[in-house]
Amino acid sequence: RPKPWRGPATPAGGAPALSKMELTNELVIFHDCKTAEISLRQTRNARATDLAPFGITLETFHFSGNYLSLVIEIPQGSCEGLRKRHLIRLAAMIEREGPTTIHARLNVKNGPNTEQVLLTLPDQSAETMVEFDLAYSGLNERRAERMWIDLMIESPAMNRIDIRDLTLCRYPRADI
């Protein structure tokens, strides 16, 4: 679980959330909206069903840009021993005020190259999960040095997105 979901952030947010604004060193917002009617803040999870102590709330009002993404840095140690036989699971609890599609892209820097795997988060319920299969990537196992996730939000205008929890796990592929 990245830092913004584990402990308090300082500052706890920003409005307007300008592009490249950091909420801890593990969460950065990127967008190209000239009039940034966007707020990003850490919120306290208080429901009995919440597993993470904190959540992230992204609110957008008028949005005239082409892209909006949250970049989540994965700790450096996660690249140690990373192999093409691994699956990276992203599990999240995401509540959307209005319908919107969220894409998740896993980025693995390996030497001068960056391997990318793009998936769409299912939106039928708040609990969502995707698995990035590294077997189909061009990963150079000896050179994996950094990983991060991009959460790209389509049509974010007039919407509130609460990411109440977000966890990442690495699993070896079963030998069948």
Side-chain angles (χ1 to χ4, degrees):
R1 182 174 286 140
K3 280 183 194 176
W5 288 269
R6 287 192 325 247
T10 305
L18 302 174
S19 189
K20 300 181 185 176
M21 183 188 92
E22 291 185 2
L23 193 65
T24 78
N25 61 341
E26 290 185 5
L27 179 67
V28 181
I29 185 170
F30 287 92
H31 60 81
D32 66 346
C33 190
K34 289 181 174 71
T35 55
E37 294 182 26
I38 304 165
S39 73
L40 177 69
R41 69 183 184 282
Q42 185 184 53
T43 53
R44 189 76 156 123
N45 284 337
R47 298 187 304 191
T49 56
D50 290 329
L51 298 176
F54 295 93
I56 299 298
T57 298
L58 174 70
E59 288 185 275
T60 57
F61 301 100
H62 176 72
F63 188 83
S64 60
N66 295 312
Y67 67 90
L68 173 64
S69 69
L70 297 175
V71 176
I72 301 155
E73 191 73 30
I74 302 173
Q76 188 83 22
S78 62
C79 288
E80 293 175 18
L82 187 66
R83 301 286 178 255
K84 288 180 92 168
R85 66 181 185 93
H86 283 123
L87 300 171
I88 307 293
R89 175 181 289 174
L90 167 68
M93 174 71 74
I94 302 175
E95 296 172 350
R96 301 162 171 97
E97 184 178 56
T100 187
T101 302
I102 301 175
H103 301 283
R105 181 174 60 200
L106 174 70
N107 303 277
V108 183
K109 182 167 176 40
N110 55 136
N113 302 321
T114 300
E115 291 303 317
Q116 298 179 332
V117 182
L118 179 68
L119 298 172
T120 301
L121 291 172
D123 60 358
Q124 293 83 9
S125 70
E127 286 188 50
T128 187
M129 184 268 302
V130 292
E131 289 181 334
F132 302 98
D133 192 346
L134 297 180
Y136 302 104
S137 71
L139 175 69
N140 182 340
E141 297 173 342
R142 294 184 307 265
R143 298 187 76 179
E145 57 191 66
R146 181 176 164 234
M147 284 197 297
W148 68 95
I149 297 280
D150 294 324
L151 292 180
M152 300 171 290
I153 298 143
E154 282 187 13
S155 306
M158 296 304 294
N159 209 344
R160 175 184 168 140
I161 299 170
D162 290 307
I163 307 172
R164 302 188 73 77
D165 196 4
L166 187 135
T167 56
L168 295 150
C169 300
R170 180 172 85 179
Y171 296 100
R173 173 188 293 286
D175 291 329
I176 298 177

